[in-house]
Amino acid sequence: MREFKSEFRVVAVDMRGYGESDLPLSSDSYSFDSLVTDVKDIVEYLGYNRCCLVGHDWGGTIAWLFAIHYPEMVTKLIVLNSPHPSLLKSSHFFFYQLPRFPELMFSINDFKVALKALFTSRSTGIGRKGRLLTAEDLEAYLYALSQPGALTGALNYYRNVFSSLPLSQNHVRSPVLLLWGERDAFFEQEMAEACRLYIRNHFRLNIISGASHWLQQDQPDIVNTLIWTFLKEGEGRKSYRN
């Protein structure tokens, strides 16, 4: 946000189920249609009819779907380590379909074991030692996830994946920049390459050497430079500001 605020109005959103946004418990409240509509409502509430949209992981999935359903509202699409929704497949998705048990496993020892491993383990954590989350960062995540209903809200994104993704069988018509950490432990690099099959506009894929799934933490300067280059190409800031 600090990097791009000089030339853009930059807004970061706590999607439903995260941070201080609403935490509905019903999994039906997290349908991808509802999550995409949330983004549309936010953009319009802020007084815009289109935007440059940036998303990572689940945010990336919602960004892909938003660009599919509302192509006229996306000037440029930037996605970090999240494949086109038609390519989503992962064994851990099935585990999260179970009721209550995933919440129990994640909440053991006040959430600390699972969450700390997610961000710091050698296989799934942030790749560069100098970029690791501080104790204060981790405590902030622990606090947010420990609020009543917060963990269920986060897991409900997974619980809707199989019912909602058939809606994604369409192409993206916006220019797309896909940034991918070479050492992503969650998604294979071949999935990034395959995304070009679903783009009907300019598509640029940048594989960032040595970066993990958390590439914006691993290589923030490289990520920012690549985004700046993409934003300044072709359709630029003038069309965004309209």
Side-chain angles (χ1 to χ4, degrees), residues 199-218:
I199 312 301
R200 289 291 180 266
N201 205 313
H202 172 65
F203 175 64
R204 174 174 293 178
L205 170 63
N206 288 107
I207 308 294
I208 300 180
S209 177
S212 68
H213 180 73
W214 317 100
L215 71 168
Q216 66 270 37
Q217 275 82 23
D218 284 337

Side-chain angles (χ1 to χ4, degrees), residues 12-24 30-40 42 53 58-63 66 153-154 157:
V13 178
D14 277 338
M15 298 293 287
R16 63 173 71 189
Y18 286 96
E20 296 184 359
S21 290
D22 289 348
L23 306 172
Y30 297 85
S31 71
F32 282 14
D33 271 349
S34 297
L35 296 169
V36 166
T37 301
D38 285 345
V39 177
K40 179 177 183 290
I42 290 168
L53 192 60
W58 272 124
T61 300
I62 304 306
F66 185 85
Y157 281 68

Side-chain angles (χ1 to χ4, degrees), residues 116-163:
K116 185 176 181 180
L118 181 67
F119 287 114
T120 64
S121 75
R122 186 169 296 181
S123 60
T124 66
I126 296 170
R128 292 179 64 191
K129 290 184 179 179
R131 300 292 183 180
L132 299 180
L133 297 183
T134 66
E136 291 78 14
D137 293 332
L138 284 170
E139 195 60 38
Y141 279 108
L142 289 169
Y143 175 79
L145 280 175
S146 66
Q147 300 309 299
L151 187 57
T152 296
L155 292 174
N156 277 338
Y157 281 68
Y158 294 93
R159 288 170 175 151
N160 274 286
V161 69
F162 297 116
S163 61

Side-chain angles (χ1 to χ4, degrees), residues 74-95:
V74 181
T75 303
K76 292 194 173 183
L77 176 65
I78 301 166
V79 178
L80 288 73
N81 277 82
S82 180
H84 184 281
S86 296
L87 300 169
L88 272 181
K89 55 179 180 178
S90 184
S91 59
H92 66 274
F93 286 2
F94 294 95
F95 170 69

